[in-house]
Amino acid sequence: MELGLVTSNADKVRELAAALEPAGHTVAQRALEYPEVQATTLAEVVEFGLERLAQRHAGEALLIDDAGLFIDALGGFPGVYSRYAYDTIGPAGVLALLGDGAERSAEFRCVLGLLLPDGGRQQFRGSCRGRITRALRGDGGFGYDPVFVPAGDERTFAELPLAEKNAVSHRGRALAALVAYLGDSG
Ligand code: ITT
């Protein structure tokens, strides 16, 4: 299926294409506007975005991707505010908020929203547990990748090749669910 990915983030497009293209789907970045409402969960943000896209783009197959980093010791911050925190204090500022604290567990979450040409809407979720580093490490990936080490590894997401990140990441897991669904629905 030809999927339009509605995002401003070219790194997301690379991660989605790496999972969807081998399964026979094509992904093109679409520069459409949709409002990201202030909500307490990623799922609500995605549902609202899909609703708006359905009103203006009936008949198209579109995907949106909303993700965030939820740090346990900060009560889940930055979470749904991850973009705002990234643009203001950045990953180094988030490390500063955590300080030297020993409790560094965190979770990345991703919700993919799919709008089908017949108007159908679906969500696919993925999460990845891990821990926050004490310093930025690695220059691959994007966003908070240099401060997050997935469980079972010693490398940050920014130190992993894209295929290895996708194999364990929040987005990779949501994508696996999306690929299974698209396979089923033909
Ligand atoms: P769009 O909303 O246009 O898709 P965005 O970059 O704003 O792009 P999100 O709202 O989903 O995407 O992301 C919130 C923040 O979390 C943002 O600063 C991203 O850089 C970061 N982020 C999202 N996915 C990530 C990942 O896989 N690894 C590291 N950081 C990520």
Side-chain angles (χ1 to χ4, degrees):
M1 182 182 275
E2 274 183 45
L3 296 159
L5 176 59
V6 184
T7 182
S8 60
N9 185 330
D11 293 297
K12 282 186 181 175
V13 183
R14 270 189 281 283
E15 292 186 6
L16 268 91
L20 290 165
E21 287 177 355
H25 308 289
T26 59
V27 187
Q29 185 169 3
R30 296 283 306 271
L32 303 175
E33 288 295 321
Y34 73 92
E36 285 200 12
V37 282
Q38 202 61 72
T40 52
T41 65
L42 299 176
E44 286 172 83
V45 177
V46 167
E47 187 49 37
F48 187 81
L50 284 177
E51 231 172 83
R52 286 303 191 85
L53 285 172
Q55 288 163 10
R56 293 182 177 75
H57 301 280
E60 298 180 48
L62 297 175
L63 262 182
I64 56 181
D65 170 321
D66 201 32
L69 177 62
F70 295 73
I71 300 177
D72 297 346
L74 301 180
F77 185 83
V80 291
Y81 308 108
S82 291
R83 176 66 193 266
Y84 183 73
Y86 185 82
D87 291 343
T88 51
I89 59 175
V94 170
L95 288 187
L97 283 180
L98 256 187
D100 274 345
E103 166 47 13
R104 310 191 75 81
S105 57
E107 182 169 301
F108 256 123
R109 294 182 199 153
C110 174
V111 177
L112 292 173
L114 173 67
L115 174 67
L116 289 162
D118 68 1
R121 302 200 286 260
Q122 297 285 334
Q123 288 197 5
F124 306 90
R125 299 176 195 197
S127 61
C128 178
R129 296 288 304 169
R131 63 188 161 79
I132 303 298
T133 57
R134 291 180 188 275
L136 280 84
R137 278 199 338 248
D139 44 25
F142 67 98
Y144 296 97
D145 281 348
V147 300
F148 184 83
V149 174
D153 212 311
E154 291 303 320
R155 297 166 296 174
T156 66
F157 269 167
E159 294 173 315
L160 297 181
L162 189 151
E164 279 192 66
K165 178 184 171 189
N166 260 1
V168 297
S169 77
H170 50 309
R171 180 165 298 104
R173 290 181 171 141
L175 279 165
L178 169 65
V179 166
Y181 175 84
L182 291 175
D184 287 340
S185 66

